Amino acid sequence: MASFTKIALSVLALALAPAAAQAATTVISLDRAPATGVAGTNGNTVILKDIGAWAHVTSIGYSLTIEALDPSYVNDQHVWFGTSDTLQAKFTPDRNFENSGTARVEGIADLVAMDLDFFLNEDGLLRVELLDSFNTETTPRGFWSGSFSIVTDDIATDGAVPEPATWAMMIAGFGVVGARLRRRSAAPSAIARA
C-alpha cells in the first residue's frame, strides 16, 4: 500500500512541476538587405520576429555574405539584436575585413560566453537591425545576404493549470486511493484471536 501511495504522489508531483526549458532555433533569412547608417537610421533593415514571450536568446549562428560599398568597409557593418524596444547585443560578423568589397562569413556567436545573452519581453519579439557605422548618407552602402540562426532557451514556466477533465481524473484517483486505504484498514485481521 505504501508503494502505491508513493507512486500516486510522485505522479501528482510530476504533473504539477514546472515545465523544463527547451531550446529552439529560429532562422532569419536575408536577401541583399540594406544597412544605411547607425542604429535607428531610416533605411536600415529592421526585422521583428516573434520568438516567444520571455525567451532567453543564448547564441546566434550566421552564414552571411556582406557587401560594403566604398567608402564603407565590411567591418563597418554591424547587427543589433534585442527586444522590441531595446537593443541588447551589437555584433560585427567580420572585424578583420578593413576594405570595401564582399566578405563571406560563417560562425556561431555564443552570447552567454560573451555576456551578451538576453531575455525577450512579454510580447516575444526579437528585433534585428542591420547598420553601417561609417555611412552618414541616406543611400545604403551595406548589403546583407544569408541567414541568422537564433538559438533560444524558453525559460521554465510554472506548470499550466490542468483542464477540468484532468482535475476530475486526479480527484477520482485520490478517491480510489482513499477508498483502498479505508477498505484496507477496515478489513478484519487474518490472525486468529485467542
Side-chain angles (χ1 to χ4, degrees):
M1 194 292 297
S3 63
F4 180 76
T5 304
K6 287 179 185 176
I7 291 171
L9 290 174
S10 298
V11 169
L12 177 64
L14 287 174
L16 298 177
Q22 296 189 6
T25 302
T26 302
V27 176
I28 297 175
S29 297
L30 305 169
D31 184 18
R32 221 166 134 64
T36 302
V38 297
T41 300
N42 264 351
N44 283 350
T45 297
V46 176
I47 300 166
L48 290 174
K49 183 80 171 178
D50 187 358
I51 293 186
W54 312 117
H56 181 205
V57 180
T58 58
S59 66
I60 299 167
Y62 54 94
S63 178
L64 301 166
T65 300
I66 303 171
E67 179 184 1
L69 304 178
D70 192 41
S72 293
Y73 290 171
V74 171
N75 66 354
D76 293 327
Q77 308 306 307
H78 310 286
V79 59
W80 273 106
F81 295 94
T83 64
S84 57
D85 58 1
T86 307
L87 297 173
Q88 302 283 342
K90 183 178 176 184
F91 177 64
T92 307
D94 193 343
R95 293 178 181 267
N96 300 320
F97 200 113
E98 296 182 0
N99 290 306
S100 299
T102 302
R104 176 93 178 121
V105 292
E106 293 183 354
I108 297 174
D110 183 352
L111 298 182
V112 175
M114 296 163 56
D115 198 28
L116 293 173
D117 60 315
F118 59 94
F119 290 89
L120 297 181
N121 295 334
E122 184 177 8
D123 62 12
L125 294 176
L126 172 72
R127 178 185 169 99
V128 179
E129 183 172 354
L130 307 176
L131 55 108
D132 180 337
S133 63
F134 183 78
N135 190 16
T136 57
E137 298 179 14
T138 57
T139 304
R141 296 196 183 275
F143 298 93
W144 298 62
S145 297
S147 64
F148 291 108
S149 298
I150 313 300
V151 178
T152 59
D153 286 333
D154 296 330
I155 62 169
T157 57
D158 292 338
V161 176
E163 293 183 19
T166 304
W167 276 111
M169 290 288 286
M170 287 192 316
I171 291 169
F174 285 126
V176 169
V177 170
R180 285 209 45 171
L181 287 172
R182 184 171 214 173
R183 187 172 150 203
R184 195 169 260 204
S185 63
S189 175
I191 301 174
R193 297 193 182 159

